[in-house]
């Protein structure tokens, strides 16, 4: 088993070498042991990339730190997470380093529960890769998906601040999640109040998204609801920068129905309408946006609610 303190003392090269050794060893194993070794290799790759970033930024002025990570030498893409810490949460490089230094990494399978509704003293969770969702369970056992989380998103900033999980969080796909235990984070917040401010900024951003969901779920017809959700996910994933785009989309029609309050049959019908209008194609886990402007118009979508000024504090 990997020990976090041991990992933090290793160099970038040592961590990459350990990851390579575990992958090589995994080729001679089967079943659970093979999966365990590959899981450890993924964790080691992440820590190696994080170590490279820490080493580079520690010797750089703040204005140069954001560009310090070289994609060519990275085994893992830290860009979404670092963008959240610096822009959405407004944290300095020093605060980012302090936060990440106490983080633990979890490698999760598809459909795995991360936090259960009602849990207390929950850790702060940050999604590094993959897709996750937040749900509320109803009295009859049914579930309502209340948010979709993409790489870089803090999964529960509000619940962490309140000290209790008001929602369950689980994965839609294999995912890497940074978990920052409350017992270690609370003392850090006393020393670095800007991290507290950053948590509230992340909570405010989430509230902005939830407000839009409330509006389009409550007042818009089914086609506009689905179009709006597709626009939002494409915009948040950075995949709407071209007029036509093709990207991985892990949500099934059933899951889309749980988000939109529609039956699976109705979701399929609406997707056919969007396809016949030559706006999108959704098939085999991939979404193709053929006409971004047309899709925005059908959804009455304005991405302004997703924006957060770079490095803003407030």
């Amino acid at each position: 088993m990997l020990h976090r303190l041991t990992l933090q003392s290793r160099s970038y090269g040592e961590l990459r070498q350990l990851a390579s050794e575990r992958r090589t060893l995994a080729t001679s194993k089967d079943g659970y042991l093979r999966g365990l070794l590959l899981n450890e290799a993924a964790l080691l790759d992440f820590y190696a990339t994080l170590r490279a970033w820490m080493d580079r930024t520690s010797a750089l002025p703040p204005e140069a730190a954001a560009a310090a990570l070289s994609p060519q030498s990275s085994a893992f893409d830290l860009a979404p997470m670092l963008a959240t810490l610096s822009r959405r949460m407004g944290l300095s490089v020093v605060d980012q380093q302090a936060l990440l230094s106490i983080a633990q990494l979890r490698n999760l399978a598809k459909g795995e529960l991360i936090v259960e509704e009602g849990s207390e003293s929950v850790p702060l969770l940050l999604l590094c890769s993959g897709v996750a969702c937040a749900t509320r369970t109803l009295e009859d056992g049914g579930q309502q998906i209340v948010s979709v989380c993409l790489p870089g998103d803090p999964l529960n900033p509000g619940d962490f601040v309140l000290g209790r999980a008001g929602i369950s969080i689980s994965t839609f796909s294999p995912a890497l999640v940074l978990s920052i235990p409350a017992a270690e984070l609370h003392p850090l917040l006393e020393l670095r109040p800007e991290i507290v401010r950053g948590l509230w900024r992340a909570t405010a951003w989430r509230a902005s998204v939830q407000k839009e969901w409330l509006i389009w779920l409550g007042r818009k017809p089914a086609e506009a609801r689905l179009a709006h959700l597709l626009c939002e996910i494409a915009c948040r994933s950075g995949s709407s920068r071209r007029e036509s785009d093709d990207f991985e989309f892990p949500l099934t029609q059933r899951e889309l129905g749980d988000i939109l309050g529609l039956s699976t049959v109705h979701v399929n019908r609406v997707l056919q309408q969007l396809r016949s209008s030559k706006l999108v194609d959704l098939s085999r886990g991939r979404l193709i946006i053929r006409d971004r402007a047309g899709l925005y118009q059908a959804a009455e979508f304005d991405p302004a609610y997703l924006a957060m000024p770079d490095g803003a504090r407030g």
Side-chain angles (χ1 to χ4, degrees):
M1 291 291 293
L2 300 175
H3 192 278
R4 181 165 61 98
L5 294 177
T6 301
L7 293 177
Q8 291 176 339
S9 67
R10 299 277 189 167
S11 68
Y12 172 81
E14 289 173 331
L15 291 166
R16 290 300 305 275
Q17 179 62 34
L18 287 171
S20 177
E21 289 173 359
R22 276 165 170 75
R23 286 198 176 88
T24 300
L25 185 58
T27 60
S28 63
K29 306 297 181 181
D30 295 315
Y32 173 78
L33 187 55
R34 175 184 173 85
L36 179 63
L37 289 166
L38 291 175
N39 181 69
E40 289 192 352
L43 298 183
L44 286 161
D45 276 335
F46 177 88
Y47 277 113
T49 306
L50 186 58
R51 168 56 58 190
W53 179 79
M54 289 278 199
D55 290 345
R56 288 187 177 95
T57 55
S58 62
L60 291 175
E63 61 271 16
L69 190 65
S70 170
Q72 291 79 10
S73 64
S74 300
F76 187 87
D77 185 11
L78 294 181
M81 180 183 66
L82 296 178
T84 292
L85 294 176
S86 63
R87 292 200 293 269
R88 195 184 303 173
M89 296 179 67
L91 299 183
S92 68
V93 172
V94 174
D95 285 329
Q96 293 176 46
Q97 291 177 336
L99 192 62
L100 295 176
S101 69
I102 60 173
Q104 301 172 12
L105 189 64
R106 298 175 60 184
N107 196 353
L108 302 166
K110 179 180 179 180
E112 192 166 345
L113 182 67
I114 307 173
V115 170
E116 187 172 5
E117 181 181 336
S119 300
E120 296 184 355
S121 189
V122 293
L124 176 65
L125 301 167
L126 187 65
L127 186 64
C128 299
S129 70
V131 181
C133 69
T135 61
R136 283 293 303 272
T137 302
L138 308 178
E139 290 186 2
D140 63 0
Q143 289 189 328
Q144 173 69 46
I145 296 175
V146 297
S147 67
V148 174
C149 304
L150 302 178
D153 285 348
L155 298 179
N156 61 341
D159 284 355
F160 171 80
V161 170
L162 295 174
R164 183 179 183 276
I167 52 176
S168 295
I169 302 174
S170 57
T171 57
F172 272 142
S173 68
L176 286 173
V177 173
L178 277 182
S179 176
I180 306 174
E184 295 187 49
L185 182 52
H186 283 302
L188 182 63
L189 299 181
E190 294 291 332
L191 297 173
R192 298 189 173 277
E194 285 299 327
I195 298 179
V196 179
R197 190 186 296 267
L199 290 174
W200 282 116
R201 282 173 52 83
T203 302
W205 181 88
R206 175 64 62 83
S208 176
V209 175
Q210 296 290 173
K211 181 176 66 176
E212 286 296 316
W213 278 44
L214 180 64
I215 293 169
W216 54 256
L217 277 173
R219 303 300 298 176
K220 291 187 177 181
E223 183 174 349
R225 283 189 229 172
L226 179 55
H228 197 287
L229 180 62
L230 298 180
C231 288
E232 180 185 298
I233 291 178
C235 188
R236 288 169 57 194
S237 67
S239 299
S240 59
R241 297 171 184 168
R242 297 185 295 274
E243 290 301 315
S244 179
D245 213 345
D246 179 347
F247 63 101
E248 186 176 354
F249 190 85
L251 305 183
T252 66
Q253 291 187 20
R254 178 179 178 180
E255 290 161 348
L256 288 171
D258 288 342
I259 295 171
L260 301 169
L262 303 172
S263 68
T264 304
V265 172
H266 201 168
V267 170
N268 183 268
R269 186 182 305 123
V270 175
L271 279 172
Q272 295 298 331
Q273 292 170 356
L274 294 175
R275 184 179 293 114
S276 65
S277 299
K278 298 183 179 180
L279 299 178
V280 302
D281 277 328
L282 179 59
S283 177
R284 297 180 180 179
R286 300 202 68 81
L287 175 67
I288 303 174
I289 299 178
R290 301 199 177 280
D291 181 357
R292 179 163 52 108
L295 189 64
Y296 275 29
Q297 183 176 6
E300 299 179 11
F301 180 73
D302 180 356
Y305 72 97
L306 297 172
M308 182 66 80
D310 286 2
R313 313 253 176 153

